[in-house]
Amino acid sequence: QATGTVAEILGPREIRRDHGTRLFRFRGDLEQELNHYHPRGAEIIRAFVAGVNARIDEVNEDLDSLPLPFRLLGIQPKRWTPEVVISRHQGLLGNIGSELDTARAVCELGADKVRELAYFHPHEPDLTLHKPVDCEALSEDILALYNAYRRPVDFYPEDVVPEHRASTAAFESAFADLRRDRATLAEHDQEDIGSNNWVVSGSRTQDGYPMMVNDPHRRQAIPSLRYWVHLVGPGWNVIGGGEPEIPGVSIGHNEYGAWGLTVFGTDGEDLYVYETDPDNPDRYRYDGAWESMRIIRETIPVRGAAAEEVTLKYTRHGPVVFEDRERGLAYALRPAWMEAGGAPYLASLRMDQARNWEEFRDACAYSNIPGENMIWADREGNIGWQAVGIAPIRRNFSGMVPVPGDGRFEWDGYLPIKAKPHEYNPARGWIETSNSNYTAPDYPYLDAIGYTWSAPFRWARGSEVLDGGRKFNLQDMVALQHDYLSIPARTLVPLLVPIASDEPLAELARQRLLQWDHVLDADSVEAGIYVAFERKLLEAMQALKVGEAARPYLRVGMKRTIDFLLAPDGDFGRDPIAGRDALVVDALESAVAELRERFGPSMAGWRYGQAAYKHATIRHPLSPAVNAAMRERLDVGPVPRGGNGFTLGNTGSSDNQVSGASFRIFIDTRNWDATLGMNAPGQVGDPDSPLYDNLFELWAKDRVFPAFYSRSKIESVLFEKLDIQPARGGP
């Protein structure tokens, strides 16, 4: 994926992905790029690559030692280059998809209606569409190359060696499940993908030392998305998690302090629309004149077919992602992440050696991608927060819809990262981010950040507990990170108080909800009733507020749904309160009817956490393509789960948990050996290893493991020891 050579393995269907990858390849000064991340970045990254290649050489000399996924595909690994490490394809990059969808929604509903329905804040963005942005033209598949570059790889039976291939029927069923999971993830992306983190000062802890807690919420994956490592060497003693294709620790601690991250909504992508020259479509209008695109031609090797020649085009703003020859239009993406320093999380190399808040904040200034809330806690008693991420300063537009590329809408450079929002040792004694909007209403650079944030429910729950006046220990932090109290439930269930149902089973469900504690526990029948009810309310609000034509582009989320239900307007009818009440009771009755159909008439069978309802099955990417026996080895689950996408313990909005926390960390700065953690389903990507899924059951039960730091503690629980020596005469 990183090098644009997937078609060499999987054939013609991956040509578009490789085309997109090459279109978005970093083509700047490689030394400048590598040294952005650390003063010795080039040396570090090349050493890391050399280590990976040493192992690749080793297994290629002994093919029996190849991990199972390679054997299933009948391929061998090729040697890495620094290009693999600095690839941007796997990062959280920006908002280009929602930017295009917002424009399409504006075309259907108008800008005012979109602003009413979407959760924009702290101010309302300008959504004006300027010519040559054309509503009819926006219906084309403009981001096909970009999306191909970014999407996960799909595997088919023909990709697998014959003895392990799935039958056609089995593949189609398993592939449908995989696609359903991805569709759910995409639909709920803004609310499900994110993270929790917080730091508390010594004034809020029982031992008088600050604590740092973090659980990133991303796609549930096998192999795991993140990788625990303890890096020790001259100048380095850092432990925690990062992504396995890069060196460094992006979440963890050294001997001085601890840090973590959550997504801070930063808009670093814009879609530009150009009028092209009728006589030469490789020219576009800019500042009243025709300007030529820069053109690069490359060859993509293709398994089982002739190599494919592709033409890569660039305007002054960025890669051309789509050409509409019929209408005389071209579209280019302007990505801030193609600047030097855009490799996700790699600037953590600088953070890993920070000795105090000032050094940590200096290191944060090099963290371009993704936009994050970086938090810090140290043994000296300090806590802090610094938002990071490269943020273009837009001259006269919001960045929330496509704009003409003719020179009227430009960037005035980038906001210095230290000028992004930050805080240090607040008097309240804690900082909690959880993807909510921390930006002050009078912050002067809103267009350089963005207007879209996760719903505030996780942040609100964390904040009310942290501000509750008690002093915490580390087990309190573990309990809070796995907290399943639903603030939406606490808000919505009281709407049922004055509304009786004429349906006996629905009325019984209403009575049970009114006596419930609003906790989405896996063993709770009331949680099962509520989640079905909540989903029906969201569906009803979507149907009420969004027309059929705009439905694919605009989703009324939970925050706006609650707003509309608490203050109903004329859309609910001439008597808004009565209309609101009718919608609420209809949603409950519909939810109960669905539960009865799925699980039978006995409410005892409506328990939330069960394989047929809320559960976690993590599917390996190869799973649909292999036979049942091999699929059993690759996949993990199902296991029952609680919570949903709005609880602090974020388990996503679908029946099968496809997002949420897999990596977790809890750090007490008083004692580094007291650190606790999790990384589901395991630490190793080879299904033949006992460490492939050994953490899955612990994770499913909301438990954690000790992450020791001192050598004596580590050696007391040693699993395996491997000594690696440089080859004689080697570097």
Side-chain angles (χ1 to χ4, degrees), residues 120-141:
F120 295 129
H121 63 109
H123 297 310
E124 294 184 340
D126 180 4
L127 301 180
T128 305
L129 300 179
H130 301 271
K131 291 294 182 182
V133 180
D134 175 82
C135 281
E136 184 180 345
L138 290 179
S139 64
E140 301 287 349
D141 193 6

Side-chain angles (χ1 to χ4, degrees), residues 221-508:
I222 187 167
S224 58
L225 177 69
R226 286 188 166 86
Y227 185 83
W228 275 83
V229 66
H230 187 173
L231 176 63
V232 181
W236 301 84
N237 190 2
V238 55
I239 188 171
E243 298 198 5
E245 77 283 357
I246 60 175
V249 172
S250 52
I251 303 166
H253 71 82
N254 57 24
E255 59 264 69
Y256 304 103
W259 57 92
L261 53 82
T262 67
V263 168
F264 178 87
T266 300
D267 181 3
E269 294 178 321
D270 282 326
L271 188 63
Y272 282 84
V273 187
Y274 308 90
E275 176 190 349
T276 55
D277 184 349
D279 298 323
N280 180 1
D282 291 338
R283 300 202 303 173
Y284 61 98
R285 189 178 298 281
Y286 184 83
D287 198 22
W290 295 117
E291 192 164 298
S292 295
M293 298 176 186
R294 181 167 63 97
I295 296 175
I296 298 173
R297 291 181 174 84
E298 291 199 358
T299 302
I300 298 173
V302 183
R303 190 194 72 178
E308 183 84 5
E309 301 290 331
V310 293
T311 301
L312 314 174
K313 299 182 180 181
Y314 301 84
T315 70
R316 62 168 49 227
H317 297 120
V320 176
V321 292
F322 185 73
E323 294 181 86
D324 190 338
R325 295 286 179 90
E326 228 175 79
R327 296 183 178 92
L329 298 174
Y331 299 78
L333 174 63
R334 188 171 191 180
W337 45 267
M338 286 188 77
E339 299 284 357
Y345 305 112
L346 200 47
S348 60
L349 286 170
R350 290 180 183 265
M351 300 176 196
D352 292 351
Q353 294 186 297
R355 294 170 295 181
N356 52 52
W357 166 247
E358 290 73 21
E359 290 186 7
F360 180 74
R361 206 167 162 236
D362 287 344
C364 285
Y366 293 87
S367 189
N368 285 350
I369 294 293
E372 299 279 10
N373 296 288
M374 300 302 307
I375 57 171
W376 168 268
D378 62 39
R379 299 195 73 173
E380 301 304 314
N382 302 301
I383 62 172
W385 159 61
Q386 174 66 60
V388 305
I390 190 167
I393 300 174
R394 294 172 175 86
R395 186 178 301 169
N396 55 350
F397 65 109
S398 68
M400 294 305 299
V401 292
V403 292
D406 56 15
R408 287 178 286 164
F409 302 93
E410 294 294 342
W411 294 354
D412 287 334
Y414 298 104
L415 184 65
I417 285 178
K418 284 188 174 182
K420 295 185 81 170
H422 55 276
E423 193 172 30
Y424 184 55
N425 286 336
R428 65 182 177 277
W430 56 271
I431 300 170
E432 209 271 16
T433 69
S434 298
N435 314 122
S436 195
N437 176 32
Y438 253 42
T439 311
D442 59 350
Y443 183 70
Y445 298 106
L446 289 177
D447 288 337
I449 293 174
Y451 298 83
T452 55
W453 309 83
S454 293
F457 307 119
R458 287 182 288 109
W459 168 83
R461 175 58 178 161
S463 297
E464 74 177 5
V465 173
L466 293 174
D467 206 37
R470 59 176 294 194
K471 289 182 180 285
F472 300 98
N473 60 38
L474 209 55
Q475 287 303 316
D476 296 326
M477 299 292 97
V478 173
L480 183 57
Q481 199 183 90
H482 294 94
D483 183 273
Y484 292 144
L485 185 138
S486 169
I487 285 185
R490 202 168 65 185
T491 308
L492 293 171
V493 167
L495 294 176
L496 292 167
V497 170
I499 313 170
S501 171
D502 295 331
E503 301 286 339
L505 202 57
E507 177 59 18
L508 179 58

